[in-house]
Amino acid sequence: EKLSHYLANIREKNSRPPEVSKVSGISAKVWEMASQAMYSRLGGGLVKTSPELDLGNVLMEIDANAAIQFFNLHGTDTDAYWYGELDFHYPRTFGPETAAQMASINAIAVEACYGAKFIGCNESSSVLLRALSERTLGFLGSSKIAFGPAIPPNSLADVMAGEFLLAVQNGKNFGNATNIARKATLNTSMLD
């Protein structure tokens, strides 16, 4: 049943391609400058931030119809949510129930630690699994720890997420977009 639903989404994408110039996203306030640099490259305006956004208002503030979804939030291995941050305040900002409200076929890139966790999870305990069971066709994130700087120049998770979405916007399939993002990350990041 889930595969049938996913294939129906692919058929919809092929018959009515999503408008990949429509971009939406959320950043933890502490990473706003780094996120804005990548968000602007994707064609977005001003990136929305959390804690201004939280679970109570996120769907009123982001574009659930955007085909490109970019998130630079915190994650944890102890629950299903992604969190904002400012002054040691970490509001729940995005979760599986929010992913279920995405109205358009989309691709998601998330920089949150554990943002793409799936082992031992179900749709209520993983944004990744819930998103793929709804309107998301491509999802890039970390199933463990992720890192990116607070201010540009961007590297690591910032580059990986951004280059993946840029490649999707340029018509690359998700596998090729992931490879392009990996190469860009290796070319621009200081790795230990």
Side-chain angles (χ1 to χ4, degrees), residues 26-28 30-39 41-42 70-73 109-112 140 146-166 181 184-185 188-189:
I26 307 170
S27 175
V30 295
W31 296 320
E32 182 177 15
M33 289 194 310
S35 296
Q36 186 62 57
M38 191 53 71
Y39 197 64
R41 287 190 61 212
L42 292 166
F70 172 77
F71 300 96
N72 191 1
L73 298 165
V110 59
E111 297 184 43
L140 181 80
F147 178 80
I151 58 173
N154 289 352
S155 65
L156 302 169
D158 295 311
V159 172
M160 189 80 184
E163 294 298 326
F164 170 77
L165 292 175
L166 282 167
T185 302
T188 62
S189 301

Side-chain angles (χ1 to χ4, degrees), residues 47-129:
V47 70
K48 307 282 185 172
T49 60
S50 178
E52 290 85 8
L53 297 185
D54 61 24
L55 285 178
N57 64 3
V58 68
L59 287 171
M60 293 179 278
E61 297 294 329
I62 65 169
D63 186 353
N65 291 307
I68 301 296
Q69 298 283 338
F70 172 77
F71 300 96
N72 191 1
L73 298 165
H74 287 287
T76 175
D77 62 350
T78 60
D79 72 26
Y81 296 93
W82 300 340
Y83 296 82
E85 178 191 1
L86 181 65
D87 298 330
F88 303 103
H89 177 60
Y90 302 90
R92 284 182 171 178
T93 305
F94 199 89
E97 65 280 356
T98 321
Q101 300 301 313
M102 296 290 107
S104 176
I105 299 293
N106 65 74
I108 292 176
V110 59
E111 297 184 43
C113 295
Y114 302 97
K117 68 180 181 174
F118 63 95
I119 296 171
C121 296
N122 59 35
E123 291 176 17
S124 65
S125 59
S126 167
V127 173
L128 165 66
L129 295 178

Side-chain angles (χ1 to χ4, degrees), residues 136-190:
T136 300
L137 291 179
F139 191 110
L140 181 80
S142 176
S143 61
K144 295 291 182 186
I145 300 297
F147 178 80
I151 58 173
N154 289 352
S155 65
L156 302 169
D158 295 311
V159 172
M160 189 80 184
E163 294 298 326
F164 170 77
L165 292 175
L166 282 167
V168 170
Q169 282 182 317
N170 289 323
K172 302 297 184 195
N173 66 41
F174 299 124
N176 284 335
T178 302
N179 286 335
I180 288 167
R182 286 178 178 148
K183 289 177 186 172
T185 302
L186 291 173
N187 290 337
T188 62
S189 301
M190 300 287 289

